[in-house]
Structures are given as structure tokens and as C-alpha cells.
Amino acid sequence: MSAAEETAGGEDMPWGEVTPEAARRLLVAAVDAFAERGYHATTTRDIASRAGMSPAALYIHYKTKEELLHRISRIGHDKALEILEAAAGGPGSAAERLADAVRSFVRWHAERHTTARVVQYELDALGPEHRTEIVELRRKSDAAVRRIISEGVRAGEFDVPDVPGTTLAVLSLCIDVARWFNAQGRRTPDEVGELYADLVLRMVGAQK
Amino acid sequence: MSAAEETAGGEDMPWGEVTPEAARRLLVAAVDAFAERGYHATTTRDIASRAGMSPAALYIHYKTKEELLHRISRIGHDKALEILEAAAGGPGSAAERLADAVRSFVRWHAERHTTARVVQYELDALGPEHRTEIVELRRKSDAAVRRIISEGVRAGEFDVPDVPGTTLAVLSLCIDVARWFNAQGRRTPDEVGELYADLVLRMVGAQK
């Protein structure tokens, strides 16, 4: 599935925050080009052509190819952080919040796997300042999950010998869904989310 | 860490099966180039130049860039299968064998993370026949882990409602180590292996 197809489906309009429409179309074209050929093999000319626009029209919206990657990465990481902080700050026990975080985070990585691959695999192509900004967002996402797990341990709900290591493993398990998920496969994003929420509750030794 | 540096360390000589030495040097150069810039952005000229050789010298050993990728992918997947089948067929309880599989598989993805990234992320760049061959090796790796889990369930050692889904999650967790592992980070490959073996035993509800 391409980013263009991801845009067609889904509950809320992906990239809805990107305006005007030409800027959004270029962004979706960039995601597809980066996912197919990699960042370094993609030219701004390729991106403009995929979007049915001229290179000159692209430069009105984005000064460089790196600016496109940064915009994609920033929106993806903002969304990830929003999902995880909403779960961390939500109602319910630590187990309910952790299950909620995993379900939503997995669903995002499954439904938006083309975008998620670009966001996850092209970090090294960001310029130093943009990279620092994105690393900080990733630190906050990690902190949101660590907070739920720590609260569960403190409340006696979870049994976790290594909280930072388990946090890393939980996030890693969810992120890797973007690598293997196949929209034509046997499991829907919701089914993977349910399975993974159960597996993660086992990882933290949640009381049943 | 580059593939060249991976070659320098490690218990057994990586790519030792690739001879003559010029063919091995080209393969290591290809891994580093693909990991840095992606398969599509890399030319055979880049690879030859990294290996300190001429493009003509490269063509003596590899007819196409895809042949290099296939060789890398084949060796990586053979190694993965060897690790997992050795663990599956080893002595001990299902819990011991599963822990052994996870420890070895994680260690490989951590120590050889540059190679593993190329092996995992560039599957789509393989030609159709090579892709079919590699998909078959992945199916066998999956079967080796599924076998250990099924045996544990049958022996009453494990409690696993969804064996194929849990198998997928276990492999995915280990594979994603290649994405985040950092040789300068806080955890050694062995430490990640120990942590993950414990988390996976929890995922399968192993009796303590």
C-alpha cells in the first residue's frame, strides 16, 4: 500500500495538517518515493513528477529534499507522541493504559506502514538540527511508556525487573509492525493491536 | 559501526565463506554502501571504489548489483536459520531452547546490525527468483521458532493462545534490535539477549 492509498483510507485524514493541497500532495509523493527507492535515490524532480507538478512548483513549498523528510518525520513523531501521551494520561489502571498505548501505537504502524518505514528508517538522512529535534520527540515517547510501566510497578500491578529495557522492548515490538505488516495479510491492524496488547501485559507480568 | 568493523570483531570471521578475498572485500563494501545510502542510491562503481578496486575488477566476481545484494541476503538468512534450527533441535526444555534461540538471534542482530539492516530492509530490491528463495528461508526460520513454542504448549510448559502470532512477535522483537542497537549504547549484545530471553519467556507464559 502506498502513502497515497493510506491517505484514501483511515479514520482521520492523514496529512490533513499540511496545507495548501499542493504541499500535501508533494508530501504524500515524497513518502512513496522514499519508501520505494530510499531517500538518497530520490530526487526532488522524482517527487514533483509523482505529484504531477513541475520542479519549480515544488520549490515554492519546500526548499530542499531534506525539508520534505523533516516535515514527514516531524508529523509522524508528533502523532506517535500524541498517541502515547494520550494513553499514559488516560483513565484506568496501568494495565488498561499500557494495553491502550500498545493497541493505538500498533494500529498506527500497521495502517500507516509506508509512512512509518520512512519515519523510522531515514533518521540518519536528517540534518543535525532536525535530528536533534526528532531525537527529543523520541525521548518523550519513551518517557510516556516508561511512566505507565513505572506506575504499574509502584501500584503492585506489574513485576518488571528492568523498566528502561522493557520500555525499549515494548516500543520496538510495536515499531517493527511497520516492517512486516501487509495489508493483504491474515491479520487486521486491530487484530495485531489486540494480540500485542496481550503479549505486552505478559511482558510486564500484569496481574490477571 | 560499519560492516568492515563488524568483520574486524566477532567470534567467528563474518563472510569467511566468501572467497577469494577480493570477492569478500567487495561484499563488505557493498553492505556498508547499501546501509549508508540505500540499495538504489548505490552504484557498482561506488562499491568497487570503497573496496579500492576498479569497476572491471568487480565484474569478475559479481555480474550485477543485485547479485551482491542476493549474496548478502542469502548468507544472512542462512545464518539466521542455522541459529534458530540449532536452538530448536538442541537439548533441554522448550523454555531453555526458546531462551537460547532468542539470546543467539538477538546477539547476531546486535553484533551485525549493519548487515542485518541491509538483509531486512532491502528485500524488495531482490529479483523475483531470489526473493522467492529468501522468503522460503524466512518461512523455515519461522517454523523453527514455532516448533519450540508448540512443543512447549504440548508439554504444558507454555500457555500461548495464538502460536503463529506469538512466533511472529518473538522474531519481530529480535529482528528490530538491528534498527535500534548502538555499539556505543548502554547495553552489550549479551545483555540485550538476556533481557529479551526473559521477556520472551514471559510472553509464552513459561512456568518459572
Side-chain angles (χ1 to χ4, degrees), chain B residues 86-102 147-148 151-152 157:
Chain B
S93 65
E96 284 162 347
R97 285 179 290 140
L98 186 58
D100 181 33
V102 169
R147 178 181 142 199
I148 309 176
E151 286 172 1
E157 280 186 69

Side-chain angles (χ1 to χ4, degrees), chain A residues 150-191:
Chain A
S150 300
E151 286 171 3
V153 170
R154 234 175 293 129
E157 280 186 67
F158 298 163
D159 160 35
V160 179
D162 179 347
V163 171
T166 304
T167 301
L168 173 67
V170 168
L171 285 166
S172 169
L173 186 67
C174 298
I175 287 171
D176 196 51
V177 169
R179 179 183 56 81
W180 63 259
F181 187 80
N182 175 351
Q184 277 76 51
R186 276 182 302 178
R187 295 168 197 269
T188 65
D190 281 339
E191 285 165 356

Side-chain angles (χ1 to χ4, degrees), chain A residues 37 40-41 120-121 138 159 161-162 165 168-169 172-173 175-176 179-180 187 195-196 199 202-205, chain B residues 37 40-41 120-121 138 159 161-162 165 168-169 172-173 175-176 179-180 187 195-196 199 202-205:
Chain A
R37 308 260 312 157
H40 294 289
Q120 296 296 342
Y121 302 158
R138 293 173 81 88
D159 160 35
D162 179 347
L168 173 67
S172 169
L173 186 67
I175 287 171
D176 196 51
R179 179 183 56 81
W180 63 259
R187 295 168 197 269
L195 169 66
Y196 274 41
L199 290 173
R202 288 167 170 241
M203 283 163 71
V204 298
Chain B
R37 308 259 312 157
H40 295 290
Q120 297 296 343
Y121 302 159
R138 295 173 79 88
D159 160 35
D162 179 347
L168 173 67
S172 169
L173 186 66
I175 288 171
D176 197 50
R179 181 184 55 82
W180 64 259
R187 294 168 198 270
L195 169 67
Y196 274 41
L199 290 172
R202 287 166 170 242
M203 283 163 70
V204 298

Side-chain angles (χ1 to χ4, degrees), chain B residues 27-99:
Chain B
L27 211 80
V28 170
V31 171
D32 281 336
F34 295 159
E36 256 182 56
R37 308 259 312 157
Y39 176 80
H40 295 290
T42 300
T43 63
T44 47
R45 181 173 288 275
D46 296 334
I47 296 167
S49 146
R50 267 180 191 262
M53 291 163 67
S54 71
L58 184 145
Y59 289 114
I60 297 172
H61 303 285
Y62 305 97
K63 278 195 274 318
T64 63
K65 182 171 74 162
E66 197 268 348
E67 190 181 330
L68 274 155
L69 179 63
H70 171 246
R71 197 77 204 275
I72 292 162
S73 189
R74 178 68 203 241
I75 292 172
H77 281 90
D78 279 344
K79 184 67 187 170
L81 181 57
E82 182 194 315
I83 287 168
L84 296 173
E85 287 192 336
S93 65
E96 284 162 347
R97 285 179 290 140
L98 186 58

Side-chain angles (χ1 to χ4, degrees), chain A:
Chain A
M1 190 161 72
S2 68
E5 285 160 338
E6 287 176 5
T7 311
E11 49 222 64
D12 54 357
M13 167 70 172
W15 312 117
E17 61 272 68
V18 183
T19 56
E21 203 265 337
R24 181 163 58 239
R25 224 162 68 207
L26 285 162
L27 210 79
V28 169
V31 171
D32 281 337
F34 295 159
E36 258 181 55
R37 308 260 312 157
Y39 176 81
H40 294 289
T42 301
T43 63
T44 47
R45 181 172 288 271
D46 297 334
I47 297 168
S49 148
R50 268 180 188 261
M53 291 164 67
S54 70
L58 184 145
Y59 290 112
I60 297 172
H61 302 286
Y62 304 98
K63 277 193 277 316
T64 62
K65 183 171 73 159
E66 197 269 348
E67 189 180 331
L68 275 156
L69 179 63
H70 172 246
R71 197 75 203 278
I72 293 162
S73 189
R74 178 67 203 241
I75 291 173
H77 281 90
D78 278 345
K79 184 66 188 174
L81 181 58
E82 183 193 314
I83 287 168
L84 296 173
E85 287 192 335
S93 65
E96 283 163 346
R97 286 180 288 139
L98 186 57
D100 182 32
V102 169
R103 269 190 297 261
S104 321
F105 203 50
V106 163
R107 205 185 304 126
W108 190 81
H109 281 87
E111 286 176 351
R112 310 286 305 282
H113 59 273
T114 308
T115 303
R117 284 181 204 171
V118 172
V119 166
Q120 296 296 342
Y121 302 158
E122 299 287 10
L123 287 178
D124 286 343
L126 291 170
E129 272 182 46
H130 286 157
R131 217 187 125 84
T132 303
E133 176 198 298
I134 297 297
V135 166
E136 176 60 18
L137 288 173
R138 293 173 81 88
R139 209 194 47 75
K140 286 185 185 164
S141 284
D142 185 274
V145 174
R146 205 169 52 240
R147 177 182 143 198
I148 309 176
I149 296 177
S150 300
E151 286 171 3
V153 170
R154 234 175 293 129
E157 280 186 67
F158 298 163
D159 160 35
V160 179
D162 179 347
V163 171
T166 304
T167 301
L168 173 67
V170 168
L171 285 166
S172 169
L173 186 67
C174 298
I175 287 171
D176 196 51
V177 169
R179 179 183 56 81
W180 63 259
F181 187 80
N182 175 351
Q184 277 76 51
R186 276 182 302 178
R187 295 168 197 269
T188 65
D190 281 339
E191 285 165 356
V192 180
E194 277 310 319
L195 169 66
Y196 274 41
D198 175 59
L199 290 173
V200 165
L201 291 182
R202 288 167 170 241
M203 283 163 71
V204 298
Q207 311 296 328
K208 291 264 169 157

